[in-house]
Amino acid sequence: MAMLVCLCAGFCLSESSKLAAASPPRLLNDPVDISGDFHNFANLYYLADHLADFDPATGQGDIACQRSAYFTRLAFNNMLAVLKPVAATEFPANEYAANPKLPFSIDFVSARTLRIRVQTGPQFAPPQPELMLNGPVPKDNGDWKYSKVDGGYRYTGPYGSVTILDNPWCIEIRDARGRLLTRTVTQADLSETFTPILPFSFVRRASDYSRSVDAAFTLSPGEKIFGAGESFTGLDKRGQKIVLWANDANGIQNQRMYKPIPFFMSSRGYGMFMHTSTPITCDFGHDFSGVNSLMIGDDALDLFVFLGTPKEILNQYTDLTGKSPMPPLWSFGLWMSRCTYNSETQVVDIANELRQYKIPCDVLHLDTGWFETDWRCDYQFSPTRFPTPQKMIDDLKQKGFHISLWQLPYFVPKNTLFPEIIQKGLFVRDAKDNSPREDAVLDFSNPATVQWYQDHLAPLLKMGVGAIKVDFGEAAPLTGLYADGRTGFYEHNLYPLRYNKAVADITKEITGQHLIWARSAWAGSQRYPIHWGGDAESTDDGMAAELRGGLSFGLSGFSFWSHDVGGFVSRPSTDLYARWLAFGVLSSHTRCHGTAPKEPWNYGQAFMDEFRRIDDLKYELMPYVYAQAKDCSEHGLPMVRALFIEYPNDPGSWLVDDEYLFGSSMLAAPLLHENATGRDVYLPPGTWIDYQTGKSYEGGWHHIEAGQLPVVMLVRDGTVIPKIALAQSTMQMDWSKLELVVFAKNAPTAKGLVCLPADNELHELSLTRNGNTFKLENDPLAGKVTWKITRAENVE
């Protein structure tokens, strides 16, 4: 039977021995790819056929389905699988519908957002507390107007229209000009190709009678797809099959994800959010180039569709699921770490050396070695290696350092907390009421577990610990039984969100700040910043993959993101470390971390000097960084930003995956190759000024040499960049004196943003040219700041 499933999934018959040899055994926590269930000869398929009834006033109706099954067809020594209608096989036959009617509805959330829901059967489960959404779903205030059309029903809003057609049942989504953006795939589409494709449908599995939805939509020629989480594969997901299942990817050059997000956007002007926590397989034109199959494990579809530009789509999506709040100022400074510091003396010595060598730094992270036994998380500082932790934290804070602490939600049997977790029933259980793992995995669906967990974190935060590292979280047992009554099929992907929330809530309660340091995520986790990119390989390819992952993550609703500078796995060369550091300081958050020591003095005097120059850049740019972060927080935008977010009408900007905008006005092109001193750079339309040399370029392709810093970095013509005097920590910065550096070649005005940490209010800066100088039109801070206005040097 297993071989039959494998054969059917491939749509062709081959030598079974070869197929068996090519199929590796399933391993613990392997991603759950449900796509095979939609190509299984044993299952039944219910294809959306026609509209049985519909009430346009309520947007509710029923879809009549056609029961179908796969059969083989032989043609010229080639075997294909084809779908054909089949009769009912249940007994007694009169008790069950052969071709059921599916309740569906369409609701309008805002002028740019609509919601499509379809049920494949009765829904008896009590409602669960909503985690992914940021509150009740709002109702549109009347922007959408109904009209009857031939063969269906149409709702028209200011930014597009939705048409529901009777026969075959179809939903068409168009923009305000009437251009078709996408529509559901219908049975009529089957006649247009010899390739077997599955229209909008649901599957009923023969193995357990469970149901899952295939929400199939059309893709257009040239259409591109972006998002789906921190995916390290090609930035454009068109032609890929993406499995949305939280996984310890063990690196960043594979298809697995620490942070899958059930949201994507299209270059045609729409985005979709699959509101579920079940496994999802998104076939973005992988099996058939013109079909986007959203194979959703859930037995009901809840799909939000957004209309607009990338900026508008991200704003609408994060209005629904939440925007990233502002982390504290100090979090934007340098984080120094390794796996791991293991004594109080070592931590204090490193802090002193950072100050001695004038390496600006705000955070020292203690990884797995602050317990008595390395990796054995008991929330207690080792009494033998950290004898006076309170004094250490207090002394470091006076020097401008905050402490971050590692921990995880899995408890080995030798952990002193293990018996208590078992005795109190705080762990995920199996069908026998045992633990499905040797470890006890905390069950965050249990309020008692959350309280117990937060009670152990609270004393650390009260000591003055600045941040908790929320490591792992991707291995919640699939077969586990959770306190909320559900299995891992529904809880596995929610686990990162629950985990993120538990730490963020207690941190906010005690410190008043929005800050965690997390590896795993799901939709809604952006409300609990910050997340970092996992265990990157210390290679050029690792660095390039990390950038793709960060861009993809930003296109999934996350404003703030970091990565292990130099890679995690091994000791980087000085060349790679310097190039990666330049990428790191031009990210929202900057952490040097890995299995090898990352303190710059371990790499020689010349490298330490280069490290200092790169690090200084972040600290001098802190007013720009902080203001851009605030703007991102308010609008759901990423700090590490794909070019097309700012330039949606420029075709070239949709093709670039190895450079980015840092905020709205700076373009960064990391040096991704060994010993590179420059690179080919694509510039969006307009004039761009090299931050380091002052040379100007027009939009298009250019080969640009980096300056003293190993990165190509440009600023939009007509931009003012706020800067601050260099300090060794953000605590020592004087925000009453800021320099406004104007980058302008021919622009008559220069604009920018500023936000003082003291009041956290975003203000626009506007300067006008007066000969060769620029003047601030109005002081948005009303005398709180002494401004020094300068022009970027050597602009030509």
Side-chain angles (χ1 to χ4, degrees):
M1 177 59 73
M3 185 53 57
L4 176 60
V5 172
C6 191
L7 291 170
C8 298
F11 283 116
C12 62
L13 304 181
S14 182
E15 295 178 76
S16 60
S17 59
K18 291 181 180 179
L19 269 175
S23 301
R26 182 168 175 78
L27 301 177
L28 184 64
N29 201 38
D30 267 358
V32 176
D33 178 3
I34 65 169
S35 62
D37 294 337
F38 291 89
H39 307 311
N40 188 329
F41 276 56
N43 295 337
L44 288 174
Y45 302 88
Y46 295 82
L47 315 184
D49 190 69
H50 63 274
L51 192 61
D53 54 77
F54 186 71
D55 180 356
T58 63
Q60 297 179 356
D62 293 291
I63 308 167
C65 289
Q66 173 62 61
R67 179 190 294 226
S68 302
Y70 280 115
F71 293 85
T72 57
R73 182 179 66 186
L74 178 67
F76 304 104
N77 300 304
N78 186 62
M79 191 73 79
L80 289 177
V82 294
L83 280 168
K84 293 183 179 181
V86 294
T89 57
E90 294 86 356
F91 182 84
N94 62 324
E95 298 293 338
Y96 307 97
N99 297 301
K101 295 180 180 179
L102 308 185
F104 93 101
S105 64
I106 184 164
D107 298 287
F108 297 97
V109 177
S110 73
R112 293 189 181 275
T113 305
L114 58 122
R115 185 182 196 180
I116 301 168
R117 284 181 281 187
V118 180
Q119 298 179 10
T120 68
Q123 300 293 313
F124 302 124
Q128 294 280 345
E130 180 50 58
L131 293 174
M132 288 176 271
L133 304 182
N134 194 37
V137 178
K139 292 288 187 181
D140 170 63
N141 59 9
D143 289 309
W144 293 83
K145 308 300 182 183
Y146 165 71
S147 62
K148 184 73 175 71
V149 296
D150 289 343
Y153 310 84
R154 178 170 295 155
Y155 298 89
T156 303
Y159 305 107
S161 66
V162 180
T163 303
I164 303 164
L165 298 176
D166 288 318
N167 193 6
W169 176 83
C170 180
I171 294 180
E172 294 181 345
I173 301 172
R174 297 178 182 270
D175 65 14
R177 296 176 295 164
R179 182 184 63 139
L180 180 67
L181 302 180
T182 187
R183 63 170 175 82
T184 54
V185 177
T186 71
Q187 292 192 64
D189 295 312
L190 302 182
S191 63
E192 299 296 327
T193 177
F194 293 125
T195 304
I197 59 175
L198 196 61
F200 196 105
S201 57
F202 77 90
V203 61
R204 193 182 75 191
R205 297 175 181 84
S207 60
D208 61 3
Y209 233 60
S210 64
R211 303 178 301 277
S212 292
V213 176
D214 181 356
F217 288 86
T218 58
L219 291 169
S220 297
E223 183 173 356
K224 299 169 180 59
I225 300 292
F226 299 91
E230 188 192 52
S231 172
F232 303 107
T233 59
L235 185 61
D236 178 5
K237 304 307 173 190
R238 176 72 181 267
Q240 299 184 39
K241 184 164 76 170
I242 305 294
V243 177
L244 301 181
W245 178 261
N247 183 265
D248 183 346
N250 283 293
I252 61 169
Q253 294 185 71
N254 61 74
Q255 295 182 359
R256 301 183 179 205
M257 282 187 275
Y258 304 103
K259 308 172 191 66
I261 306 296
F263 165 82
F264 66 89
M265 69 172 69
S266 163
S267 61
R268 287 187 67 79
Y270 69 91
M272 290 185 175
F273 168 49
M274 297 156 277
H275 182 213
T276 181
S277 59
T278 61
I280 302 171
T281 298
C282 298
D283 185 317
F284 295 125
H286 176 272
D287 283 354
F288 190 83
S289 63
V291 173
N292 177 9
S293 291
L294 308 177
M295 291 165 276
I296 298 169
D298 211 328
D299 61 1
L301 173 69
D302 190 3
L303 184 71
F304 291 86
V305 183
F306 312 95
L307 305 178
T309 65
K311 275 189 175 181
E312 291 161 345
I313 290 168
L314 284 172
N315 192 43
Q316 291 290 301
Y317 169 66
T318 54
D319 276 350
L320 183 69
T321 59
K323 289 178 163 60
S324 301
M326 273 292 282
L329 171 65
W330 57 263
S331 73
F332 294 93
L334 182 70
W335 297 49
M336 184 57 67
S337 175
R338 68 166 85 158
C339 187
T340 176
Y341 301 142
N342 53 28
S343 75
E344 185 175 319
T345 300
Q346 182 186 32
V347 172
V348 171
D349 287 347
I350 286 172
N352 290 336
E353 287 176 292
L354 286 164
R355 294 292 180 254
Q356 175 189 342
Y357 294 126
K358 296 192 180 302
I359 307 294
C361 184
D362 272 76
V363 185
L364 292 172
H365 171 67
L366 279 60
D367 217 55
T368 64
W370 62 282
F371 319 111
E372 188 63 28
T373 301
D374 197 13
W375 291 91
R376 193 182 295 171
C377 174
D378 60 6
Y379 308 107
Q380 300 292 324
F381 279 96
S382 163
T384 59
R385 290 179 285 107
F386 291 86
T388 57
Q390 185 67 69
K391 182 178 185 303
M392 176 189 73
I393 292 170
D394 292 344
D395 290 349
L396 290 173
K397 190 165 290 188
Q398 289 183 356
K399 297 177 181 179
F401 290 103
H402 293 261
I403 287 292
S404 166
L405 293 180
W406 178 92
Q407 54 82 66
L408 81 172
Y410 315 144
F411 293 80
V412 298
K414 291 183 179 181
N415 194 309
T416 55
L417 296 173
F418 185 89
E420 180 185 359
I421 292 169
I422 298 301
Q423 188 272 325
K424 292 183 176 179
L426 307 178
F427 62 101
V428 178
R429 301 167 184 269
D430 64 13
K432 194 179 178 181
D433 214 26
N434 285 329
S435 171
R437 308 282 185 266
E438 289 186 73
D439 291 356
V441 177
L442 290 182
D443 181 358
F444 291 117
S445 76
N446 184 349
T449 302
V450 174
Q451 186 63 57
W452 178 91
Y453 177 62
Q454 292 177 334
D455 287 347
H456 283 79
L457 295 179
L460 299 167
L461 295 165
K462 290 176 181 177
M463 288 176 69
V465 169
I468 301 297
K469 181 174 176 179
V470 186
D471 206 358
F472 295 95
E474 309 94 351
L478 169 64
T479 58
L481 302 179
Y482 293 75
D484 64 355
R486 301 194 294 189
T487 71
F489 194 77
Y490 284 86
E491 283 294 326
H492 172 92
N493 280 333
L494 270 186
Y495 196 91
L497 178 57
R498 294 187 186 277
Y499 182 26
N500 292 176
K501 184 179 187 300
V503 181
D505 284 353
I506 191 63
T507 301
K508 179 66 167 62
E509 178 183 324
I510 292 176
T511 71
Q513 296 177 334
H514 297 281
L515 182 65
I516 63 175
W517 192 268
R519 190 176 78 173
S520 57
W522 187 249
S525 285
Q526 71 271 14
R527 302 193 300 268
Y528 314 113
I530 306 159
H531 296 80
W532 97 97
D535 298 341
E537 293 81 3
S538 303
T539 63
D540 291 338
D541 284 337
M543 182 179 171
E546 194 74 276
L547 175 53
R548 292 193 301 272
L551 289 171
S552 186
F553 197 49
L555 292 166
S556 304
F558 288 74
S559 294
F560 306 115
W561 173 79
S562 186
H563 42 97
D564 290 344
V565 169
F568 176 81
V569 175
S570 58
R571 182 184 176 98
S573 67
T574 54
D575 168 59
L576 175 64
Y577 195 178
R579 289 185 284 112
W580 203 318
L581 180 63
F583 167 35
V585 301
L586 297 177
S587 303
S588 75
H589 290 79
T590 310
R591 184 178 77 155
C592 300
H593 179 66
T595 60
K598 288 297 179 73
E599 303 79 34
W601 50 86
N602 290 300
Y603 295 78
Q605 181 67 47
F607 176 79
M608 185 167 67
D609 292 341
E610 184 175 26
F611 186 105
R612 184 187 303 109
R613 286 193 295 271
I614 301 169
D615 188 22
D616 287 351
L617 174 68
K618 180 73 173 282
Y619 279 76
E620 291 172 342
L621 286 175
M622 196 57 69
Y624 174 82
V625 172
Y626 196 75
Q628 292 292 323
K630 180 64 173 176
D631 187 51
C632 289
S633 175
E634 291 183 354
H635 298 102
L637 294 170
M639 285 283 284
V640 174
R641 190 173 305 177
L643 302 186
F644 63 77
I645 293 181
E646 295 291 334
Y647 296 91
N649 297 320
D650 173 40
S653 292
W654 292 87
L655 303 175
V656 178
D657 69 356
D658 62 356
E659 57 187 78
Y660 61 97
L661 293 166
F662 182 46
S664 62
S665 303
M666 285 187 174
L667 187 147
L671 303 181
L672 299 173
H673 297 281
E674 182 179 10
N675 299 320
T677 61
R679 56 165 288 179
D680 292 336
V681 180
Y682 178 79
L683 300 179
T687 302
W688 294 84
I689 300 170
D690 192 308
Y691 183 88
Q692 301 190 67
T693 68
K695 185 175 180 180
S696 62
Y697 302 85
E698 295 304 311
W701 282 101
H702 302 270
H703 183 85
I704 303 177
E705 288 293 310
Q708 189 178 32
L709 306 178
V711 63
V712 176
M713 181 180 174
L714 301 107
V715 181
R716 276 205 259 203
D717 187 27
T719 295
V720 57
I721 301 292
K723 297 178 67 174
I724 198 167
L726 182 64
Q728 293 303 298
S729 78
T730 57
M731 182 183 74
Q732 300 165 356
M733 289 179 171
D734 182 0
W735 287 79
S736 69
K737 299 176 182 178
L738 297 181
E739 181 181 7
L740 300 180
V741 183
V742 177
F743 287 80
K745 182 182 180 183
N746 300 315
T749 61
K751 296 187 181 299
L753 298 171
V754 68
C755 180
L756 297 184
D759 57 29
N760 258 335
E761 292 184 8
L762 191 64
H763 302 276
E764 183 174 291
L765 297 165
S766 183
L767 289 82
T768 55
R769 185 188 289 269
N770 183 11
N772 290 324
T773 63
F774 278 78
K775 181 181 179 181
L776 190 63
E777 291 182 355
N778 295 292
D779 184 353
L781 297 178
K784 293 180 182 178
V785 171
T786 299
W787 306 103
K788 177 184 177 183
I789 301 173
T790 61
R791 291 193 65 183
E793 297 179 358
N794 303 318
V795 173
E796 58 182 52

